Amino acid sequence: MFSKKKVENFIYKSKNQAYTLTIAGLDPTAGAGLLADIKTFQATGSYGFAVATCLTAQTENKCVGAEWFSLEQLKMQIEPLLQQYHIAAIKIGAFRSVSMLIVLIDWIKSIQKHIKFIWDPVIKTSSGYVFLNIDSPTENLLPKIDIVTPNLPELLTLVNENEQEIAIQKLSLHTNILLTGGHINESSNQLVDSLFAKTGLIKSIQKNRSVHQKHGSGCVFSAAYTSYLAQDYGLGSAFEKASLYMVNFFESSEGMLGVH
């Protein structure tokens, strides 16, 4: 572990480039996780840094295991970036536990206070592999982030609820919500993504459901949203641009691995 250092007086900030950071798992297919995030950041106009929370063994349709990095190893990766670059937004993906994430966010904020945090709560894969250990009430974490980007099953799990409306009400007491529509009305030809602020619904966007399902679509949507927030788009404008990006992403190929 590198010794703890104070942030240097000069932190590099490009006038023409927004800096983003993904803290997520390494998916060897590059369809999800930090590799997908980096591709999304670049395609949407941001410069992306990446820190690995775990190494996974997976393909686009199954995950067989993950090896996690410790909190000290995460800090070792992150600290030099915080010392040198003005990072506008951080997207957090696959993470080992809620309690560990709380500690990490508090530590990051002690170094750079201005950063926006976007949490994509990767709880388990579609094939059933469990990532996140909810070992602390999410109410302790949610006020520390700017927006959470769950799908419907993740939304319900975060607040231990069975009803979507009640879950949204509970979650929005603490943070903003971008609810991705991939798991809502799966029998319908329409897909609805919705953005909720603490004060209520901001906007819903309805579009035709793509026939081409994509591995890591939740990661990509959250990364696109993070990128646009880093470029100083507002909550609503970033939502619109990220949703449009997803239309093109779903249409980019016929297979499970999308093209950016």
Side-chain angles (χ1 to χ4, degrees), residues 24-28 52-58 63-70 73-74 77 94-96 100 129-131:
L26 176 62
D27 170 9
T53 59
C54 63
L55 305 177
T56 71
Q58 64 177 300
C63 180
V64 298
E67 292 290 335
W68 294 95
F69 290 110
S70 69
Q73 288 171 320
L74 295 182
Q77 296 179 71
F95 216 85
R96 191 169 193 173
M100 183 176 172
Y129 186 86
V130 177
F131 280 103

Side-chain angles (χ1 to χ4, degrees), residues 110-153:
S110 73
I111 300 174
Q112 288 195 30
K113 296 180 180 180
H114 67 278
I115 297 174
K116 299 182 180 77
F117 284 89
I118 297 84
W119 182 33
D120 178 24
V122 182
I123 298 174
K124 67 178 181 179
T125 67
S126 56
S127 61
Y129 186 86
V130 177
F131 280 103
L132 181 68
N133 178 14
I134 304 179
D135 61 346
S136 178
T138 55
E139 291 86 351
N140 296 335
L141 169 63
L142 294 170
K144 299 177 184 294
I145 64 176
D146 295 275
I147 190 160
V148 61
T149 64
N151 56 36
L152 180 56

